[in-house]
Protein backbone atom coordinates (compact mmCIF):
# COMPACT_ATOMS: atom_id res chain seq x y z
CA UNK A 1 0.00 0.00 0.00
CA UNK A 2 1.05 3.54 -0.64
CA UNK A 3 0.09 6.60 1.36
CA UNK A 4 -1.29 9.56 -0.56
CA UNK A 5 -0.80 12.98 1.02
CA UNK A 6 -2.22 16.21 -0.32
CA UNK A 7 -0.80 19.00 1.80
CA UNK A 8 -3.12 21.93 0.96
CA UNK A 9 -6.69 21.23 -0.13
CA UNK A 10 -10.34 22.16 0.07
CA UNK A 11 -12.42 19.23 1.24
CA UNK A 12 -16.12 19.43 0.39
CA UNK A 13 -18.34 17.33 2.61
CA UNK A 14 -21.68 18.10 0.99
CA UNK A 15 -24.15 20.75 0.05
CA UNK A 16 -25.21 21.71 3.57
CA UNK A 17 -21.80 21.48 5.25
CA UNK A 18 -18.93 23.93 5.34
CA UNK A 19 -15.78 22.75 3.55
CA UNK A 20 -12.64 21.89 5.47
CA UNK A 21 -9.28 23.43 4.58
CA UNK A 22 -6.09 21.51 5.24
CA UNK A 23 -4.13 18.41 4.36
CA UNK A 24 -5.55 15.05 3.35
CA UNK A 25 -3.96 11.62 3.63
CA UNK A 26 -5.15 8.08 2.93
CA UNK A 27 -3.87 4.67 1.96
CA UNK A 28 -4.05 3.53 -1.64
CA UNK A 29 -5.83 1.69 -3.19
CA UNK A 30 -8.81 3.66 -1.90
CA UNK A 31 -12.26 2.13 -1.51
CA UNK A 32 -15.54 3.70 -0.41
CA UNK A 33 -14.90 2.85 3.24
CA UNK A 34 -11.24 3.98 3.23
CA UNK A 35 -10.61 6.33 6.15
CA UNK A 36 -9.27 9.73 5.13
CA UNK A 37 -7.40 11.82 7.68
CA UNK A 38 -7.94 15.57 7.33
CA UNK A 39 -5.62 17.87 9.29
CA UNK A 40 -6.82 21.46 9.63
CA UNK A 41 -5.17 24.30 11.54
CA UNK A 42 -6.86 23.35 14.78
CA UNK A 43 -8.08 19.75 14.52
CA UNK A 44 -7.65 16.33 12.96
CA UNK A 45 -10.68 14.45 11.72
CA UNK A 46 -11.06 11.03 10.18
CA UNK A 47 -13.79 10.62 7.57
CA UNK A 48 -14.77 7.68 5.37
CA UNK A 49 -14.02 8.48 1.74
CA UNK A 50 -17.65 7.99 0.77
CA UNK A 51 -18.62 11.02 2.90
CA UNK A 52 -16.28 13.36 1.00
CA UNK A 53 -17.97 14.87 -2.03
CA UNK A 54 -14.98 16.71 -3.55
CA UNK A 55 -11.32 17.43 -2.86
CA UNK A 56 -9.79 20.39 -4.71
CA UNK A 57 -6.04 20.98 -4.68
CA UNK A 58 -3.27 22.51 -6.73
CA UNK A 59 -1.68 19.55 -8.48
CA UNK A 60 1.39 21.47 -9.65
CA UNK A 61 2.28 25.08 -10.46
CA UNK A 62 -0.13 25.27 -13.42
CA UNK A 63 -2.88 22.68 -12.90
CA UNK A 64 -5.53 21.84 -10.35
CA UNK A 65 -6.49 18.37 -9.25
CA UNK A 66 -9.91 17.15 -8.18
CA UNK A 67 -10.92 13.94 -6.47
CA UNK A 68 -14.58 13.24 -7.19
CA UNK A 69 -16.37 9.89 -6.98
CA UNK A 70 -13.05 8.23 -6.02
CA UNK A 71 -11.43 9.36 -9.27
CA UNK A 72 -8.64 11.88 -9.87
CA UNK A 73 -9.25 14.58 -12.47
CA UNK A 74 -6.68 17.13 -13.64
CA UNK A 75 -7.71 20.56 -14.98
CA UNK A 76 -6.54 21.96 -18.26
CA UNK A 77 -4.17 24.92 -18.21
CA UNK A 78 -6.83 27.23 -19.67
CA UNK A 79 -8.92 27.10 -16.50
CA UNK A 80 -5.99 27.50 -14.08
CA UNK A 81 -6.40 31.24 -13.45
CA UNK A 82 -10.13 30.90 -12.78
CA UNK A 83 -9.61 28.05 -10.30
CA UNK A 84 -6.69 29.90 -8.68
CA UNK A 85 -8.79 33.05 -8.11
CA UNK A 86 -11.80 31.14 -6.80
CA UNK A 87 -9.86 28.90 -4.41
CA UNK A 88 -7.84 31.88 -3.14
CA UNK A 89 -11.10 33.73 -2.43
CA UNK A 90 -12.51 30.73 -0.57
CA UNK A 91 -9.41 29.82 1.47
CA UNK A 92 -7.94 33.33 1.91
CA UNK A 93 -4.62 32.07 0.58
CA UNK A 94 -3.25 30.60 -2.62
CA UNK A 95 -3.17 26.81 -2.50
CA UNK A 96 0.31 25.34 -2.56
CA UNK A 97 1.33 22.87 -5.30
CA UNK A 98 1.46 19.25 -4.19
CA UNK A 99 3.57 17.51 -6.84
Amino acid sequence: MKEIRIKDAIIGLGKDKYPLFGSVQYERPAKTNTIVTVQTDNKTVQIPLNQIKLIVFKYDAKTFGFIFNYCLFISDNKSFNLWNRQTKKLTCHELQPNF
Side-chain angles (χ1 to χ4, degrees), residues 55-95:
I55 299 173
V56 178
F57 58 98
K58 198 179 274 186
Y59 186 79
D60 60 26
K62 286 294 178 184
T63 53
F64 273 84
F66 308 92
I67 298 175
F68 178 72
N69 285 339
Y70 321 112
C71 295
L72 173 66
F73 299 92
I74 304 297
S75 70
D76 60 13
N77 290 347
K78 295 176 188 175
S79 61
F80 176 82
N81 288 331
L82 173 65
W83 279 104
N84 204 39
R85 282 193 307 273
Q86 295 302 320
T87 58
K88 187 175 180 180
K89 184 188 277 186
L90 185 60
T91 62
C92 298
H93 75 278
E94 192 169 308
L95 294 177

Side-chain angles (χ1 to χ4, degrees), residues 24-75:
V24 176
Q25 77 182 59
Y26 60 92
E27 295 291 326
R28 207 172 101 189
K31 297 179 181 161
T32 59
N33 60 350
T34 295
I35 298 299
V36 176
T37 301
V38 177
Q39 176 71 46
T40 67
D41 285 340
N42 55 5
K43 65 182 172 180
T44 300
V45 293
Q46 293 188 318
I47 306 166
L49 184 58
N50 62 0
Q51 291 183 16
I52 296 175
K53 302 302 179 201
L54 177 68
I55 299 173
V56 178
F57 58 98
K58 198 179 274 186
Y59 186 79
D60 60 26
K62 286 294 178 184
T63 53
F64 273 84
F66 308 92
I67 298 175
F68 178 72
N69 285 339
Y70 321 112
C71 295
L72 173 66
F73 299 92
I74 304 297
S75 70

